[in-house]
Structure formats: C-alpha cells, structure tokens
Amino acid sequence: MRNECNIIQDVLPLYVENIVSDDTAEFVKEHLETCAKCQHKYEQMKEPEATHTSVEVAPLVNLKKKMLVKRVQTITLTTIFVIAVVLSAFAVLSAPVYFPYSEDLLSVTENADESITITFDESVTDYSCSVFFDSDTENPSTEKVHYTIEAWTSLWDEWFSNRGVQSTTIRLEKNVPFTVYYAANNNEENIFIYGKSVTASGGSITLPRLTLGYYLILAIFGFCALLIAWFIFRSKPNIKIWIERFILYPVSYIIGHFIVSGMNSTSYSLERDFMLIIFLSILIYSGMLLARSLYLLRKEINSTNLSASL
Ligand SMILES: [Zn+2]
C-alpha cells in the first residue's frame, strides 16, 4: 500500500483544486476512505489558512497584517483630513465681523424698572455685553459701572441665519452711575452711546488681545529648539525618532494659527480663535504622525517585496 499512498499524495494538490479526471478522482476518493494517513493530508490541504502558516509563508502573512494596518491608517487619516477641512471651513465662516458704529446700529432705551434695553439693527446677528466695575475702595460713592457692547455678524450668519431684530436688557445697580460704550474693535476709541452722571473720563479703546501672537512665537521657538536638538542628536536614532515626532506639533500649531487667524496675530475673540487653533493643530498633528508612519511602513513593505522577489 505504501506505493499507492505516494501516488495519491502526489495527486492530492490537483485533487483539492478539482483538476483531475473523473477516473482519478474516483481512485483518490476510494483511497482516502480507506487510508487515514492520506485522509489527514487531504484535510490539511483543504484548509490553507490554518495549515499554511508554515515557516516559508510567515513573511507573507506578516505583510498581509501590515497591509491591513496600512488600510486602517489610511481610513483614519482620511477621516482626520475631512474633519480638519470641515473645522477650517467653520473657522472661516464663523469668524466675527464687527460692525463699525453708526447711528442706526443700536438704540438704548431706559425702562421704568431700573434697567436699559439695547436694541440692535437686524444686520447684527450676535452681540456681547461686558461689565466693568470702576470702584474706588477709599471712596465708594464714586463707584461707576461701564458696559461695553460689541456687535458682529459672520459669513455663516449672513448666509444662513435670520434672527431678526435682537435686543438685550441690562439690569442696573440702584443709584450707581453707569456708562455704555460701543466697541467697534477696529482700534478706534470706544464710542460713548449712553450714560448717567458721567464725570469726565478719558476715552477707552478695546484692544485686541495679543496672546495669540505670543503663542505663535512660542511655537516658532519650540520648532527652532527641536530643530537644533535634532541636529545635535541626529546620530542617535533613539532620541532622533522622538524629536521627529515632537517637532511636528509646533509645525501643526503654526499651520492651525494661519488657518484660523491668517496673518493676524491679534484677536478680538481670543477664546474662540485659540480653541479652534488648538483643535485644528491636534488634528493636523495626528494626521502628520499617521502620514509619517504610513510612509515608513510603505518603505518597509517595498523593501520586503524586494527581498521576497530576490
Ligand atoms: Zn494512503
């Protein structure tokens, strides 16, 4: 029987693939029913996934795994890119456009119940009112309250929202003199629009906050420092790899800054701008890290292919 087993095992690969004549198939089938050893070989051949993880196929399986990782990374990268684009569009569309002061922009009316109502023109889609208490601890009777009004719209609101005429009511402190100023946020003096018992106080300007500029400079400094560190440690792969990862963040921050604020480093709406920059920079950063690992993986796959074909 030993001879027949050899013949059967020679034919088995063809039998598994169904490319033998009917007579041969019949012959193999009959043998398999009576021979446990050949039956076992046959079972092994039928399940290529489970059995072919032999030594010579291992690199191929490895490669498959890496391809899968690569696919997942590509999907993640695309998602990050899409979110970043949407967020950038949001940053541009929602950027506040402040109104310069005009007679028609807003009106103030005094109500009977110690409050004032500010009514805006319908082109105004958003406003803010900040309060500043001007008190002198040594002389409480000179206490004053200043209100600063800002009014703006955005591309998004201009196109898509129709909020109609808006108004806000400010409750006043009893017997405390107050003033209401309008801040056009264009580096001009705030405009006095309403007030009681104003003692001659100098004009004030609502200044754009410069913090974003400082952060930008900080990011540029960080980038330069890491660049120098990279140069120093370029022959030490362990340190170099970490510097290469970190250096992408200041770069991402700088890109985020330019998307949100353009060439400006000043902002009248600091919190909004800063949050958007941080958000965008994190997205850009993860995108860059992923792109980097994809690039490295691709290089590795290419070299594996090369060595496999040799
Ligand atoms: Zn056999």
Side-chain angles (χ1 to χ4, degrees):
M1 283 307 258
R2 205 172 153 256
N3 253 347
E4 196 175 306
C5 283
N6 282 343
I7 294 165
I8 291 295
Q9 284 173 21
D10 281 347
V11 185
L12 263 185
L14 300 173
Y15 178 75
V16 169
E17 299 290 333
N18 249 336
I19 41 178
V20 289
S21 68
D22 290 348
D23 289 343
T24 313
E26 190 64 25
F27 174 65
V28 174
K29 206 178 156 202
E30 272 172 20
H31 178 88
L32 290 181
E33 277 164 10
T34 56
C35 174
K37 198 179 144 208
C38 289
Q39 175 70 29
H40 182 67
K41 290 251 167 177
Y42 169 65
E43 295 295 339
Q44 275 192 329
M45 278 187 194
K46 267 205 314 193
E47 306 161 36
E49 285 304 317
T51 52
H52 280 212
T53 334
S54 52
V55 187
E56 77 268 23
V57 219
L60 216 74
V61 172
N62 226 346
L63 199 67
K64 261 188 183 169
K65 259 187 210 161
K66 280 183 177 167
M67 298 284 236
L68 184 73
V69 170
K70 192 184 162 181
R71 199 167 304 148
V72 170
Q73 283 184 329
T74 310
I75 293 168
T76 319
L77 196 62
T78 313
T79 313
I80 287 175
F81 178 73
V82 169
I83 296 174
V85 167
V86 169
L87 212 63
S88 307
F90 172 76
V92 172
L93 288 175
S94 69
V97 181
Y98 294 100
F99 286 99
Y101 181 73
S102 73
E103 295 262 313
D104 310 325
L105 187 66
L106 54 97
S107 63
V108 183
T109 50
E110 199 163 335
N111 306 317
D113 60 341
E114 293 277 327
S115 68
I116 51 170
T117 298
I118 298 164
T119 308
F120 296 96
D121 181 78
E122 62 180 346
S123 56
V124 174
T125 50
D126 240 319
Y127 60 84
S128 77
C129 175
S130 42
V131 190
F132 171 66
F133 295 94
D134 183 2
S135 58
D136 182 352
T137 41
E138 286 180 11
N139 194 359
S141 63
T142 61
E143 194 186 22
K144 284 194 295 279
V145 185
H146 303 291
Y147 298 95
T148 305
I149 309 290
E150 293 173 315
W152 68 91
T153 188
S154 62
L155 278 180
W156 177 270
D157 283 340
E158 263 177 41
W159 293 341
F160 301 113
S161 78
N162 180 18
R163 291 180 199 168
V165 172
Q166 302 195 78
S167 65
T168 179
T169 299
I170 302 169
R171 209 143 289 283
L172 301 167
E173 302 271 328
K174 252 197 176 117
N175 299 323
V176 177
F178 69 93
T179 54
V180 181
Y181 280 89
Y182 180 73
N185 289 336
N186 53 4
N187 280 326
E188 281 169 20
E189 216 169 75
N190 292 349
I191 292 151
F192 172 79
I193 48 175
Y194 200 81
K196 250 186 182 174
S197 324
V198 196
T199 48
S201 69
S204 66
I205 297 178
T206 298
L207 289 170
R209 278 157 289 187
L210 299 167
T211 321
L212 287 183
Y214 296 133
Y215 292 148
L216 183 64
I217 290 168
L218 210 66
I220 292 169
F221 265 114
F223 174 75
C224 295
L226 285 166
L227 202 64
I228 294 165
W230 183 87
F231 202 73
I232 294 169
F233 292 108
R234 68 190 186 284
S235 56
K236 298 202 168 111
N238 284 346
I239 303 174
K240 200 180 102 175
I241 194 166
W242 280 102
I243 296 172
E244 281 174 1
R245 280 174 194 157
F246 282 130
I247 205 166
L248 294 174
Y249 188 71
V251 175
S252 313
Y253 184 90
I254 294 165
I255 295 172
H257 178 98
F258 285 116
I259 291 175
V260 174
S261 305
M263 298 301 282
N264 285 331
S265 56
T266 59
S267 171
Y268 287 101
S269 42
L270 180 71
E271 289 83 2
R272 168 199 171 276
D273 288 358
F274 186 58
M275 257 177 52
L276 270 171
I277 293 174
I278 290 292
F279 224 68
L280 262 174
S281 64
I282 291 171
L283 276 176
I284 295 167
Y285 182 56
S286 17
M288 280 181 164
L289 281 185
L290 261 175
R292 182 176 172 274
S293 69
L294 273 184
Y295 168 75
L296 294 177
L297 188 66
R298 211 177 142 177
K299 247 170 72 176
E300 196 180 332
I301 287 175
N302 285 344
S303 65
T304 313
N305 280 348
L306 203 67
S307 61
S309 68
L310 283 175

